[in-house]
Amino acid sequence: MHVDRRPREDSSVAASRAPVRRAAVAATLAYSTRDSEPWRIVLRPDACELHADPGRWLAARDPFGRSLTLSIGAALLNARASLAADGITHDVVRIPEPANPYHLATLTVGAPTGPGGPATDARLADWGRRGLARHRLDPDRVRPIGDDELELLDRAVATTGASLHPVAADVVVVCTKADGAVHWLTAGEAVQMLVLEAATHGLAVAEVIDDRALSMPRGRLVQQLRGAGHPQVVLRLGAGTAGVRGRRRSLADVLVARPQDW
């Protein structure tokens, strides 16, 4: 009689595989600077590691890696929303390997939540169920942003520890309390939080790259925010298109089983 002596996988680990993969896939739909999608995600049975892909780093424009790290923060927020939608508790470790500047966050899943279990973030769960893809700005539609909408967007961003500051009718700046790698990650989570909250109001979010699109020089914008924190990214709000913005990279290129796979 044949006896299967292979070690059995813990049932909780087996149950976490599908939610972990869904979270990783959701991460690839997040905002990224100049649509660079600079991430590689290591899938483990009960965790996913979010790494910056040095091959996608726009170092000439981003010598310190601020925008690179911010993009990974946006992906992290999407992954968290996906897990929340699945009712899966999770822990986040930001900058888990200080000696490895590309390993920026690790998400480890816990047990599914039940009626009496720990509560997941209800807002994240709602966004995760609605869908996490981004909409493009519609250049043919003028969409005034109401003060009440700005207040709701500010509240959403504030849940990450960052802050949102309007500097023009349709331009906002995300600021953080300090200016280091972990704060750049926070700024990315705040940007993606803004993207998801804006979508519920029919709004889209885009990075302001060309200073000619601003009503004043970028340096004056920064001066205008003196005392508000450290400006991390300038964004434009406006009407969103009906279609969503898909990923540019294949999942086979982004999702890997171990770091040495790239």
Side-chain angles (χ1 to χ4, degrees):
M1 177 175 145
H2 174 71
V3 178
D4 187 352
R5 299 186 183 279
R6 290 174 298 179
R8 295 184 179 275
E9 186 173 54
D10 181 271
S11 60
S12 62
V13 172
S16 69
R17 285 186 182 274
V20 166
R21 181 174 176 81
R22 281 194 292 272
V25 171
T28 68
L29 296 172
Y31 163 96
S32 62
T33 297
R34 293 177 178 264
D35 287 327
S36 55
E37 300 185 5
W39 36 63
R40 282 284 176 83
I41 302 174
V42 178
L43 290 173
R44 304 198 184 283
D46 63 345
C48 57
E49 300 176 1
L50 280 75
H51 294 248
D53 182 347
R56 309 286 292 190
W57 181 10
L58 307 176
R61 296 179 177 274
D62 181 32
F64 299 106
R66 177 197 307 271
S67 296
L68 178 73
T69 305
L70 188 150
S71 298
I72 304 304
L76 171 61
L77 193 282
N78 255 19
R80 291 176 54 208
S82 176
L83 289 174
D86 277 336
I88 304 290
T89 59
H90 59 274
D91 292 317
V92 180
V93 179
R94 296 168 178 83
I95 319 295
E97 295 182 78
N100 180 355
Y102 298 116
H103 184 187
L104 294 172
T106 296
L107 268 172
T108 303
V109 304
T113 57
T120 55
D121 187 313
R123 195 62 174 145
L124 279 179
D126 182 47
W127 284 326
R129 287 187 289 267
R130 287 170 180 261
L132 297 166
R134 293 190 296 132
H135 294 264
R136 296 177 183 272
L137 280 179
D138 187 341
D140 298 323
R141 293 172 57 203
V142 176
R143 168 67 158 79
I145 316 299
D147 290 342
D148 55 337
E149 291 175 320
L150 279 173
E151 183 177 351
L152 291 172
L153 295 174
D154 181 44
R155 287 180 188 174
V157 166
T159 63
T160 67
S163 55
L164 188 71
H165 301 273
V167 293
D170 59 349
V171 177
V172 294
V173 178
V174 172
C175 296
T176 55
K177 295 177 182 177
D179 195 32
V182 72
H183 307 103
W184 302 343
L185 266 181
T186 295
E189 291 182 83
V191 169
Q192 190 61 22
M193 192 81 80
L194 176 65
V195 167
L196 298 176
E197 177 64 29
T200 66
H201 303 282
L203 296 169
V205 179
E207 180 183 13
V208 175
I209 296 173
D210 188 346
D211 283 5
R212 289 175 297 180
L214 299 174
S215 59
M216 67 179 76
R218 193 175 295 251
R220 283 182 57 195
L221 285 179
V222 172
Q223 291 179 356
Q224 185 174 318
L225 293 169
R226 186 169 294 168
H230 295 264
Q232 300 295 350
V233 62
V234 182
L235 302 164
R236 185 178 299 284
L237 302 172
T241 57
V244 297
R245 190 183 207 121
R247 68 179 64 82
R248 300 171 65 187
R249 302 178 68 187
S250 71
L251 292 177
D253 185 39
V254 173
L255 307 184
V256 299
R258 53 189 184 275
Q260 52 267 41
D261 284 348
W262 71 79

PDB file of all heavy atoms in Angstrom, residues 7-22 43-48 83 88-89 107-112:
ATOM      1  N   PRO A   7       5.024  16.322   2.925  1.00  0.00           N
ATOM      2  CA  PRO A   7       4.458  17.198   3.955  1.00  0.00           C
ATOM      3  C   PRO A   7       3.205  17.890   3.452  1.00  0.00           C
ATOM      4  O   PRO A   7       3.138  18.325   2.300  1.00  0.00           O
ATOM      5  CB  PRO A   7       5.582  18.211   4.230  1.00  0.00           C
ATOM      6  CG  PRO A   7       6.446  18.173   3.010  1.00  0.00           C
ATOM      7  CD  PRO A   7       6.363  16.763   2.494  1.00  0.00           C
ATOM      8  N   ARG A   8       2.200  17.923   4.288  1.00  0.00           N
ATOM      9  CA  ARG A   8       0.951  18.569   3.912  1.00  0.00           C
ATOM     10  C   ARG A   8       1.037  20.068   4.180  1.00  0.00           C
ATOM     11  O   ARG A   8       1.545  20.493   5.211  1.00  0.00           O
ATOM     12  CB  ARG A   8      -0.225  17.971   4.698  1.00  0.00           C
ATOM     13  CG  ARG A   8      -0.482  16.505   4.349  1.00  0.00           C
ATOM     14  CD  ARG A   8      -1.708  15.996   5.074  1.00  0.00           C
ATOM     15  NE  ARG A   8      -1.973  14.608   4.726  1.00  0.00           N
ATOM     16  CZ  ARG A   8      -2.666  14.232   3.663  1.00  0.00           C
ATOM     17  NH1 ARG A   8      -3.148  15.153   2.844  1.00  0.00           N
ATOM     18  NH2 ARG A   8      -2.876  12.963   3.401  1.00  0.00           N
ATOM     19  N   GLU A   9       0.496  20.830   3.262  1.00  0.00           N
ATOM     20  CA  GLU A   9       0.491  22.276   3.427  1.00  0.00           C
ATOM     21  C   GLU A   9      -0.576  22.663   4.436  1.00  0.00           C
ATOM     22  O   GLU A   9      -1.686  22.133   4.438  1.00  0.00           O
ATOM     23  CB  GLU A   9       0.190  22.933   2.074  1.00  0.00           C
ATOM     24  CG  GLU A   9       0.295  24.435   2.103  1.00  0.00           C
ATOM     25  CD  GLU A   9       0.151  25.021   0.707  1.00  0.00           C
ATOM     26  OE1 GLU A   9      -0.854  24.717   0.043  1.00  0.00           O
ATOM     27  OE2 GLU A   9       1.039  25.771   0.285  1.00  0.00           O
ATOM     28  N   ASP A  10      -0.209  23.548   5.331  1.00  0.00           N
ATOM     29  CA  ASP A  10      -1.161  24.046   6.315  1.00  0.00           C
ATOM     30  C   ASP A  10      -2.381  24.617   5.591  1.00  0.00           C
ATOM     31  O   ASP A  10      -2.256  25.348   4.603  1.00  0.00           O
ATOM     32  CB  ASP A  10      -0.491  25.138   7.165  1.00  0.00           C
ATOM     33  CG  ASP A  10      -1.420  25.671   8.230  1.00  0.00           C
ATOM     34  OD1 ASP A  10      -2.149  26.623   7.926  1.00  0.00           O
ATOM     35  OD2 ASP A  10      -1.412  25.124   9.342  1.00  0.00           O
ATOM     36  N   SER A  11      -3.574  24.291   6.073  1.00  0.00           N
ATOM     37  CA  SER A  11      -4.798  24.699   5.373  1.00  0.00           C
ATOM     38  C   SER A  11      -4.929  26.211   5.280  1.00  0.00           C
ATOM     39  O   SER A  11      -5.432  26.746   4.297  1.00  0.00           O
ATOM     40  CB  SER A  11      -6.031  24.113   6.072  1.00  0.00           C
ATOM     41  OG  SER A  11      -6.096  24.566   7.418  1.00  0.00           O
ATOM     42  N   SER A  12      -4.474  26.935   6.311  1.00  0.00           N
ATOM     43  CA  SER A  12      -4.585  28.391   6.271  1.00  0.00           C
ATOM     44  C   SER A  12      -3.658  28.987   5.220  1.00  0.00           C
ATOM     45  O   SER A  12      -3.981  29.988   4.568  1.00  0.00           O
ATOM     46  CB  SER A  12      -4.267  28.987   7.648  1.00  0.00           C
ATOM     47  OG  SER A  12      -2.932  28.696   8.022  1.00  0.00           O
ATOM     48  N   VAL A  13      -2.478  28.360   5.037  1.00  0.00           N
ATOM     49  CA  VAL A  13      -1.550  28.835   4.015  1.00  0.00           C
ATOM     50  C   VAL A  13      -2.127  28.562   2.632  1.00  0.00           C
ATOM     51  O   VAL A  13      -2.093  29.409   1.731  1.00  0.00           O
ATOM     52  CB  VAL A  13      -0.172  28.162   4.178  1.00  0.00           C
ATOM     53  CG1 VAL A  13       0.730  28.498   2.990  1.00  0.00           C
ATOM     54  CG2 VAL A  13       0.479  28.594   5.479  1.00  0.00           C
ATOM     55  N   ALA A  14      -2.681  27.346   2.469  1.00  0.00           N
ATOM     56  CA  ALA A  14      -3.279  27.005   1.178  1.00  0.00           C
ATOM     57  C   ALA A  14      -4.412  27.961   0.825  1.00  0.00           C
ATOM     58  O   ALA A  14      -4.553  28.386  -0.325  1.00  0.00           O
ATOM     59  CB  ALA A  14      -3.792  25.566   1.218  1.00  0.00           C
ATOM     60  N   ALA A  15      -5.209  28.329   1.818  1.00  0.00           N
ATOM     61  CA  ALA A  15      -6.351  29.214   1.573  1.00  0.00           C
ATOM     62  C   ALA A  15      -5.915  30.628   1.225  1.00  0.00           C
ATOM     63  O   ALA A  15      -6.663  31.395   0.622  1.00  0.00           O
ATOM     64  CB  ALA A  15      -7.263  29.242   2.795  1.00  0.00           C
ATOM     65  N   SER A  16      -4.670  30.994   1.619  1.00  0.00           N
ATOM     66  CA  SER A  16      -4.213  32.360   1.391  1.00  0.00           C
ATOM     67  C   SER A  16      -3.617  32.568  -0.001  1.00  0.00           C
ATOM     68  O   SER A  16      -3.422  33.698  -0.429  1.00  0.00           O
ATOM     69  CB  SER A  16      -3.171  32.746   2.448  1.00  0.00           C
ATOM     70  OG  SER A  16      -1.963  32.029   2.256  1.00  0.00           O
ATOM     71  N   ARG A  17      -3.313  31.495  -0.710  1.00  0.00           N
ATOM     72  CA  ARG A  17      -2.617  31.639  -1.989  1.00  0.00           C
ATOM     73  C   ARG A  17      -3.402  32.495  -2.985  1.00  0.00           C
ATOM     74  O   ARG A  17      -2.849  33.399  -3.616  1.00  0.00           O
ATOM     75  CB  ARG A  17      -2.342  30.262  -2.594  1.00  0.00           C
ATOM     76  CG  ARG A  17      -1.211  29.499  -1.935  1.00  0.00           C
ATOM     77  CD  ARG A  17      -0.911  28.211  -2.691  1.00  0.00           C
ATOM     78  NE  ARG A  17       0.136  27.452  -2.056  1.00  0.00           N
ATOM     79  CZ  ARG A  17       1.443  27.626  -2.256  1.00  0.00           C
ATOM     80  NH1 ARG A  17       1.836  28.591  -3.077  1.00  0.00           N
ATOM     81  NH2 ARG A  17       2.329  26.878  -1.645  1.00  0.00           N
ATOM     82  N   ALA A  18      -4.692  32.202  -3.171  1.00  0.00           N
ATOM     83  CA  ALA A  18      -5.486  32.943  -4.154  1.00  0.00           C
ATOM     84  C   ALA A  18      -5.614  34.420  -3.777  1.00  0.00           C
ATOM     85  O   ALA A  18      -5.411  35.295  -4.640  1.00  0.00           O
ATOM     86  CB  ALA A  18      -6.855  32.294  -4.325  1.00  0.00           C
ATOM     87  N   PRO A  19      -5.934  34.770  -2.519  1.00  0.00           N
ATOM     88  CA  PRO A  19      -5.999  36.187  -2.167  1.00  0.00           C
ATOM     89  C   PRO A  19      -4.658  36.905  -2.336  1.00  0.00           C
ATOM     90  O   PRO A  19      -4.633  38.073  -2.741  1.00  0.00           O
ATOM     91  CB  PRO A  19      -6.436  36.173  -0.698  1.00  0.00           C
ATOM     92  CG  PRO A  19      -7.167  34.890  -0.534  1.00  0.00           C
ATOM     93  CD  PRO A  19      -6.457  33.918  -1.420  1.00  0.00           C
ATOM     94  N   VAL A  20      -3.558  36.217  -2.032  1.00  0.00           N
ATOM     95  CA  VAL A  20      -2.240  36.839  -2.203  1.00  0.00           C
ATOM     96  C   VAL A  20      -1.996  37.157  -3.670  1.00  0.00           C
ATOM     97  O   VAL A  20      -1.530  38.247  -4.020  1.00  0.00           O
ATOM     98  CB  VAL A  20      -1.130  35.928  -1.638  1.00  0.00           C
ATOM     99  CG1 VAL A  20       0.251  36.400  -2.102  1.00  0.00           C
ATOM    100  CG2 VAL A  20      -1.170  35.917  -0.119  1.00  0.00           C
ATOM    101  N   ARG A  21      -2.322  36.219  -4.543  1.00  0.00           N
ATOM    102  CA  ARG A  21      -2.117  36.475  -5.973  1.00  0.00           C
ATOM    103  C   ARG A  21      -3.041  37.599  -6.457  1.00  0.00           C
ATOM    104  O   ARG A  21      -2.620  38.460  -7.238  1.00  0.00           O
ATOM    105  CB  ARG A  21      -2.349  35.208  -6.798  1.00  0.00           C
ATOM    106  CG  ARG A  21      -2.106  35.450  -8.282  1.00  0.00           C
ATOM    107  CD  ARG A  21      -2.183  34.202  -9.141  1.00  0.00           C
ATOM    108  NE  ARG A  21      -2.023  34.542 -10.539  1.00  0.00           N
ATOM    109  CZ  ARG A  21      -0.866  34.755 -11.151  1.00  0.00           C
ATOM    110  NH1 ARG A  21       0.261  34.649 -10.458  1.00  0.00           N
ATOM    111  NH2 ARG A  21      -0.811  35.074 -12.428  1.00  0.00           N
ATOM    112  N   ARG A  22      -4.303  37.590  -5.999  1.00  0.00           N
ATOM    113  CA  ARG A  22      -5.201  38.677  -6.403  1.00  0.00           C
ATOM    114  C   ARG A  22      -4.665  40.035  -5.943  1.00  0.00           C
ATOM    115  O   ARG A  22      -4.765  41.029  -6.668  1.00  0.00           O
ATOM    116  CB  ARG A  22      -6.606  38.435  -5.839  1.00  0.00           C
ATOM    117  CG  ARG A  22      -7.421  37.420  -6.620  1.00  0.00           C
ATOM    118  CD  ARG A  22      -8.886  37.467  -6.244  1.00  0.00           C
ATOM    119  NE  ARG A  22      -9.132  37.003  -4.890  1.00  0.00           N
ATOM    120  CZ  ARG A  22      -9.357  35.738  -4.561  1.00  0.00           C
ATOM    121  NH1 ARG A  22      -9.354  34.801  -5.495  1.00  0.00           N
ATOM    122  NH2 ARG A  22      -9.590  35.392  -3.306  1.00  0.00           N
ATOM    123  N   LEU A  43       5.902  36.513  -5.019  1.00  0.00           N
ATOM    124  CA  LEU A  43       4.757  35.815  -4.435  1.00  0.00           C
ATOM    125  C   LEU A  43       5.227  34.690  -3.533  1.00  0.00           C
ATOM    126  O   LEU A  43       6.036  33.847  -3.944  1.00  0.00           O
ATOM    127  CB  LEU A  43       3.872  35.235  -5.544  1.00  0.00           C
ATOM    128  CG  LEU A  43       3.088  36.234  -6.391  1.00  0.00           C
ATOM    129  CD1 LEU A  43       2.408  35.523  -7.538  1.00  0.00           C
ATOM    130  CD2 LEU A  43       2.066  36.958  -5.539  1.00  0.00           C
ATOM    131  N   ARG A  44       4.727  34.682  -2.307  1.00  0.00           N
ATOM    132  CA  ARG A  44       4.968  33.586  -1.374  1.00  0.00           C
ATOM    133  C   ARG A  44       3.601  33.022  -0.971  1.00  0.00           C
ATOM    134  O   ARG A  44       2.565  33.650  -1.221  1.00  0.00           O
ATOM    135  CB  ARG A  44       5.751  34.071  -0.170  1.00  0.00           C
ATOM    136  CG  ARG A  44       7.080  34.740  -0.545  1.00  0.00           C
ATOM    137  CD  ARG A  44       8.024  34.812   0.628  1.00  0.00           C
ATOM    138  NE  ARG A  44       9.243  35.524   0.317  1.00  0.00           N
ATOM    139  CZ  ARG A  44      10.258  35.021  -0.385  1.00  0.00           C
ATOM    140  NH1 ARG A  44      10.161  33.796  -0.864  1.00  0.00           N
ATOM    141  NH2 ARG A  44      11.346  35.738  -0.619  1.00  0.00           N
ATOM    142  N   PRO A  45       3.545  31.846  -0.348  1.00  0.00           N
ATOM    143  CA  PRO A  45       2.237  31.268  -0.012  1.00  0.00           C
ATOM    144  C   PRO A  45       1.351  32.184   0.830  1.00  0.00           C
ATOM    145  O   PRO A  45       0.137  32.223   0.635  1.00  0.00           O
ATOM    146  CB  PRO A  45       2.614  29.993   0.746  1.00  0.00           C
ATOM    147  CG  PRO A  45       3.945  29.620   0.202  1.00  0.00           C
ATOM    148  CD  PRO A  45       4.654  30.914  -0.040  1.00  0.00           C
ATOM    149  N   ASP A  46       1.945  32.929   1.753  1.00  0.00           N
ATOM    150  CA  ASP A  46       1.139  33.773   2.639  1.00  0.00           C
ATOM    151  C   ASP A  46       1.602  35.221   2.648  1.00  0.00           C
ATOM    152  O   ASP A  46       1.308  35.973   3.574  1.00  0.00           O
ATOM    153  CB  ASP A  46       1.164  33.220   4.067  1.00  0.00           C
ATOM    154  CG  ASP A  46       2.563  33.223   4.672  1.00  0.00           C
ATOM    155  OD1 ASP A  46       3.540  33.376   3.900  1.00  0.00           O
ATOM    156  OD2 ASP A  46       2.682  33.073   5.902  1.00  0.00           O
ATOM    157  N   ALA A  47       2.330  35.625   1.607  1.00  0.00           N
ATOM    158  CA  ALA A  47       2.846  36.996   1.594  1.00  0.00           C
ATOM    159  C   ALA A  47       3.208  37.397   0.169  1.00  0.00           C
ATOM    160  O   ALA A  47       3.383  36.556  -0.717  1.00  0.00           O
ATOM    161  CB  ALA A  47       4.080  37.115   2.488  1.00  0.00           C
ATOM    162  N   CYS A  48       3.297  38.705  -0.039  1.00  0.00           N
ATOM    163  CA  CYS A  48       3.902  39.199  -1.275  1.00  0.00           C
ATOM    164  C   CYS A  48       4.856  40.329  -0.913  1.00  0.00           C
ATOM    165  O   CYS A  48       4.585  41.146  -0.034  1.00  0.00           O
ATOM    166  CB  CYS A  48       2.871  39.626  -2.310  1.00  0.00           C
ATOM    167  SG  CYS A  48       1.705  40.878  -1.812  1.00  0.00           S
ATOM    168  N   LEU A  83      -6.908  42.746  -0.549  1.00  0.00           N
ATOM    169  CA  LEU A  83      -7.029  41.841   0.602  1.00  0.00           C
ATOM    170  C   LEU A  83      -8.221  42.223   1.471  1.00  0.00           C
ATOM    171  O   LEU A  83      -8.937  41.357   1.980  1.00  0.00           O
ATOM    172  CB  LEU A  83      -5.736  41.858   1.419  1.00  0.00           C
ATOM    173  CG  LEU A  83      -4.522  41.196   0.774  1.00  0.00           C
ATOM    174  CD1 LEU A  83      -3.275  41.421   1.627  1.00  0.00           C
ATOM    175  CD2 LEU A  83      -4.752  39.700   0.570  1.00  0.00           C
ATOM    176  N   ILE A  88      -9.512  39.564   4.222  1.00  0.00           N
ATOM    177  CA  ILE A  88      -8.285  38.954   4.725  1.00  0.00           C
ATOM    178  C   ILE A  88      -7.507  39.989   5.530  1.00  0.00           C
ATOM    179  O   ILE A  88      -7.180  41.065   5.021  1.00  0.00           O
ATOM    180  CB  ILE A  88      -7.404  38.435   3.573  1.00  0.00           C
ATOM    181  CG1 ILE A  88      -8.171  37.447   2.694  1.00  0.00           C
ATOM    182  CG2 ILE A  88      -6.124  37.821   4.102  1.00  0.00           C
ATOM    183  CD1 ILE A  88      -8.473  36.130   3.347  1.00  0.00           C
ATOM    184  N   THR A  89      -7.226  39.663   6.774  1.00  0.00           N
ATOM    185  CA  THR A  89      -6.388  40.556   7.565  1.00  0.00           C
ATOM    186  C   THR A  89      -4.951  40.474   7.059  1.00  0.00           C
ATOM    187  O   THR A  89      -4.529  39.473   6.478  1.00  0.00           O
ATOM    188  CB  THR A  89      -6.431  40.185   9.053  1.00  0.00           C
ATOM    189  OG1 THR A  89      -5.978  38.834   9.224  1.00  0.00           O
ATOM    190  CG2 THR A  89      -7.839  40.322   9.617  1.00  0.00           C
ATOM    191  N   LEU A 107       3.768  42.418   2.463  1.00  0.00           N
ATOM    192  CA  LEU A 107       2.409  42.197   2.966  1.00  0.00           C
ATOM    193  C   LEU A 107       2.293  40.741   3.378  1.00  0.00           C
ATOM    194  O   LEU A 107       2.508  39.849   2.555  1.00  0.00           O
ATOM    195  CB  LEU A 107       1.394  42.462   1.862  1.00  0.00           C
ATOM    196  CG  LEU A 107       0.772  43.832   1.700  1.00  0.00           C
ATOM    197  CD1 LEU A 107      -0.032  43.856   0.409  1.00  0.00           C
ATOM    198  CD2 LEU A 107      -0.125  44.159   2.859  1.00  0.00           C
ATOM    199  N   THR A 108       1.962  40.481   4.628  1.00  0.00           N
ATOM    200  CA  THR A 108       1.759  39.114   5.101  1.00  0.00           C
ATOM    201  C   THR A 108       0.302  38.957   5.516  1.00  0.00           C
ATOM    202  O   THR A 108      -0.221  39.779   6.274  1.00  0.00           O
ATOM    203  CB  THR A 108       2.669  38.796   6.297  1.00  0.00           C
ATOM    204  OG1 THR A 108       4.035  39.027   5.903  1.00  0.00           O
ATOM    205  CG2 THR A 108       2.515  37.348   6.726  1.00  0.00           C
ATOM    206  N   VAL A 109      -0.358  37.930   5.002  1.00  0.00           N
ATOM    207  CA  VAL A 109      -1.782  37.774   5.262  1.00  0.00           C
ATOM    208  C   VAL A 109      -2.013  36.990   6.543  1.00  0.00           C
ATOM    209  O   VAL A 109      -1.203  36.180   6.976  1.00  0.00           O
ATOM    210  CB  VAL A 109      -2.500  37.082   4.085  1.00  0.00           C
ATOM    211  CG1 VAL A 109      -2.265  37.851   2.803  1.00  0.00           C
ATOM    212  CG2 VAL A 109      -2.062  35.640   3.934  1.00  0.00           C
ATOM    213  N   GLY A 110      -3.187  37.260   7.152  1.00  0.00           N
ATOM    214  CA  GLY A 110      -3.625  36.540   8.332  1.00  0.00           C
ATOM    215  C   GLY A 110      -4.848  35.717   8.004  1.00  0.00           C
ATOM    216  O   GLY A 110      -5.068  35.317   6.860  1.00  0.00           O
ATOM    217  N   ALA A 111      -5.672  35.507   8.998  1.00  0.00           N
ATOM    218  CA  ALA A 111      -6.876  34.688   8.809  1.00  0.00           C
ATOM    219  C   ALA A 111      -7.995  35.511   8.199  1.00  0.00           C
ATOM    220  O   ALA A 111      -8.066  36.730   8.382  1.00  0.00           O
ATOM    221  CB  ALA A 111      -7.319  34.122  10.159  1.00  0.00           C
ATOM    222  N   PRO A 112      -8.905  34.855   7.459  1.00  0.00           N
ATOM    223  CA  PRO A 112     -10.094  35.569   6.977  1.00  0.00           C
ATOM    224  C   PRO A 112     -10.904  36.107   8.148  1.00  0.00           C
ATOM    225  O   PRO A 112     -10.948  35.499   9.216  1.00  0.00           O
ATOM    226  CB  PRO A 112     -10.881  34.495   6.215  1.00  0.00           C
ATOM    227  CG  PRO A 112      -9.880  33.435   5.894  1.00  0.00           C
ATOM    228  CD  PRO A 112      -8.882  33.458   7.020  1.00  0.00           C
TER     229      PRO A 112
END
